[in-house]
Amino acid sequence: MGLLDGKKALIFGVANDHSIAWGIAKALHEQGATIGFSSIAEVAERRVKPLAESIGSTFVEPCNVQNDAEIATVFEKWQAQYGTLDILVHSLAFAGREALSGKFVNTTRDQFHLALDISAYSLVALTHAALPVLHAGSSVLAMTYYASEKYVPNYNVMAVAKSALEACARYLAVELGPQGVRVNCISAGPIRTLAASGVGGFRTMHGKFKEVAPLRRTLTIEDVGNAAIWLCSDLASATTGEVLFVDGGVNVLAIAAPEEDGA
Ligand code: NAD
């Protein structure tokens, strides 16, 4: 018996089998959920379909989240096929590589608009389009990062986008709460994915992570998937508007703890 038996989840943001969205898809599937996918057209057919098939999923729809018509089509097709939606996962973000290194003060208006549109506004757009299929007990989940709160080198405009994403999640949580729909974020520590590789210096930061993190290990998409199971299940029935850290404890550090010297 799974924690998500009978639930139906639609997951935005699988690019490949390293994607956090894929870690979440596998975890929700293992707990009994039926999974559908939506990804940009460039990867939907070639990369996402085979992954979807491997967990018995037949729903794979292309969607660029900058396009309202494409978003509407995905949810119309979902409603026609499944009627309702229990779990909506937003696991996507984008900023140009040139905006993710160098000085933040050089961020252009276009870079700012693009990053905020794809990485933050899209949560509002997807949730809005999902309203007809969401119901009491449904859960919306988005992926964020600690740079929303504290300075992290090179995250630049993506840090601003994550602050906005978390604020969007709070407003949605308050507005949808009376209908019994919960909206939460997972703040994941660094994981090597396609998106992460666009951030200047990511490899170095990722390499040093396990020396600093209280749990002294790197993170996996399975770690995030496991947290998502809880947040998307009825076990989290009184939790909304929250940011849950899945970061090995890094967010509690004001300064890295020294290595133990055996004393
Ligand atoms: P990823 O590259 O696997 O996933 C990013 C996804 O965003 C891709 O599927 C990409 O196609 C999609 N995307 C980009 N622009 C899009 C658009 N216009 N329309 C639709 N989809 C679009 O990388 P990931 O690390 O799994 O990223 C997933 C989420 O997790 C992102 O929100 C990211 O910021 C967040 N996150 C990642 C880390 C990390 O270290 N990897 C840490 C914390 C949070």
Side-chain angles (χ1 to χ4, degrees):
M1 212 182 93
L3 288 167
L4 301 172
D5 280 345
K7 292 202 188 278
K8 295 166 282 186
L10 179 54
I11 299 182
F12 286 76
V14 174
N16 54 41
D17 60 352
H18 299 287
S19 294
I20 290 175
W22 177 240
I24 295 172
K26 280 189 302 178
L28 301 189
H29 169 70
E30 278 162 19
Q31 291 298 324
T34 298
I35 314 287
F37 296 90
S38 180
S39 293
I40 50 170
E42 289 87 323
V43 296
E45 193 64 35
R46 197 163 45 92
R47 294 205 175 267
V48 184
K49 271 211 169 138
L51 290 172
E53 280 165 15
S54 75
I55 58 168
S57 171
T58 52
F59 190 96
V60 180
E61 284 299 321
C63 176
N64 180 339
V65 297
Q66 292 183 282
N67 186 318
D68 289 329
E70 289 186 20
I71 292 174
T73 301
V74 173
F75 285 97
E76 280 160 17
K77 287 188 176 173
W78 181 271
Q79 186 165 22
Q81 202 163 326
Y82 295 103
T84 57
L85 179 62
D86 304 292
I87 300 166
L88 171 61
V89 177
H90 175 287
S91 183
L92 58 94
F94 183 80
R97 191 173 274 269
E98 60 291 350
L100 298 174
S101 64
K103 286 199 160 62
F104 173 68
V105 73
N106 294 330
T107 307
T108 65
R109 195 179 298 275
D110 283 349
Q111 289 168 343
F112 194 96
H113 279 166
L114 184 66
L116 272 283
D117 183 24
I118 296 178
S119 315
Y121 176 71
S122 59
L123 179 64
V124 184
L126 295 186
T127 306
H128 181 261
L131 287 176
V133 285
L134 296 175
H135 59 90
S138 293
S139 170
V140 179
L141 178 63
M143 294 303 120
T144 187
Y145 179 59
Y146 192 37
S148 62
E149 290 183 42
K150 303 286 183 191
Y151 175 87
V152 176
N154 296 315
Y155 271 78
N156 297 358
V157 72
M158 188 52 70
V160 181
K162 290 307 189 191
S163 299
L165 178 75
E166 291 174 21
C168 291
R170 281 190 289 274
Y171 273 76
L172 294 169
V174 171
E175 288 187 2
L176 303 190
Q179 301 161 42
V181 175
R182 300 180 296 106
V183 184
N184 291 290
C185 295
I186 287 178
S187 186
I191 298 175
R192 285 179 69 172
T193 62
L194 214 54
S197 68
V199 180
F202 180 84
R203 263 172 169 265
T204 310
M205 184 180 75
H206 183 265
K208 290 194 175 141
F209 178 83
K210 67 172 185 283
E211 295 164 26
V212 176
L215 289 179
R216 295 289 192 272
R217 67 171 179 86
T218 50
L219 304 167
T220 66
I221 58 172
E222 287 76 22
D223 290 321
V224 181
N226 287 337
I229 292 170
W230 176 70
L231 269 177
C232 297
S233 78
D234 296 338
L235 293 178
S237 56
T239 299
T240 196
E242 278 299 320
V243 176
L244 176 67
F245 285 93
V246 180
D247 69 345
V250 164
N251 73 93
V252 307
L253 298 173
I255 193 163
E259 285 294 321
E260 285 167 29
D261 57 8

